[in-house]
Amino acid sequence: MKNLLLTSLIMMSCSIWAQSATGYFDKAMKKAEAGNTKGAIADYTKAISMNSKFVEAYQNRGVAKFKLNDLKGAQADFSKTIELDDMNADAFTGRANVNYKLQNYEGTIEDCTASLGLNPKDYVAYNLRGLAYNKIGDKKNCCKDFTKAIELGSQSAAKNRATFCK
């Protein structure tokens, strides 16, 4: 009986100290907000290792990797987010940003179009798709997307339209 009580007490103590996937995610969020991007990535990774279907952890780790210019890592995380939740408009926009930086303009357009199909008010996706259209020489769609982004409140789209749609 003494051994059972002692074992129970030890197990309870361990469970109190054990960190959950959600706990690591919360720590990562705080680190990201404080500007500790590398620390946030480490904690998102721990959360994912405990829960391989943790969509938000993949999404946020992708954002953090993008900030550190780890484009391939960010792309993999955004793709995994989309694989787990194909209704995640932000993941499509995130991957579109990566594609744009990698000069994959067709991929940027595809991802922005998918994002806009899920969230038609995403002015970031309209502006980014407009930039990609500009890069491939499609001025008509470029200017159309900048105009829509402006209607939705984008200030950078106004600058882009003034620059590229003369």
Side-chain angles (χ1 to χ4, degrees):
M1 186 68 168
K2 242 186 197 180
N3 286 341
L4 183 61
L5 185 59
L6 184 60
T7 304
S8 295
L9 186 60
I10 291 170
M11 288 177 67
M12 285 189 336
S13 296
C14 289
S15 69
I16 290 169
W17 291 103
Q19 189 75 265
S20 67
T22 304
Y24 279 114
F25 179 82
D26 292 342
K27 281 175 57 178
M29 292 282 290
K30 287 179 182 154
K31 287 179 181 178
E33 287 171 17
N36 181 358
T37 306
K38 288 182 180 177
I41 290 170
D43 284 342
Y44 289 132
T45 301
K46 288 175 187 171
I48 290 165
S49 73
M50 298 176 99
N51 176 359
S52 64
K53 296 188 185 315
F54 202 150
V55 174
E56 295 86 358
Y58 283 108
Q59 169 78 23
N60 289 9
R61 190 174 70 174
V63 170
K65 286 179 177 180
F66 185 78
K67 282 183 183 178
L68 293 180
N69 210 35
D70 175 3
L71 300 179
K72 293 295 185 185
Q75 187 174 50
D77 282 345
F78 289 131
S79 292
K80 184 65 175 181
T81 303
I82 292 164
E83 177 187 318
L84 294 171
D85 177 12
D86 64 358
M87 300 299 285
N88 188 323
D90 291 338
F92 281 104
T93 302
R95 192 171 69 181
N97 269 303
V98 172
N99 281 326
Y100 188 82
K101 274 196 135 182
L102 292 172
Q103 300 179 350
N104 175 3
Y105 304 120
E106 293 294 339
T108 302
I109 292 166
E110 287 174 22
D111 281 341
C112 286
T113 301
S115 177
L116 291 166
L118 298 167
N119 179 9
K121 294 186 179 190
D122 184 356
Y123 62 79
V124 172
Y126 277 110
N127 188 48
L128 186 57
R129 191 172 70 175
L131 288 169
Y133 278 133
N134 179 63
K135 289 290 189 179
I136 64 168
D138 185 343
K139 192 168 184 169
K140 178 184 173 199
N141 280 317
C142 161
C143 298
K144 183 177 162 186
D145 276 357
F146 289 149
T147 300
K148 183 64 178 177
I150 293 165
E151 287 172 16
L152 294 170
S154 174
Q155 294 177 357
S156 56
K159 292 175 189 168
N160 289 333
R161 186 174 70 178
T163 302
F164 301 116
C165 302
K166 297 175 182 178

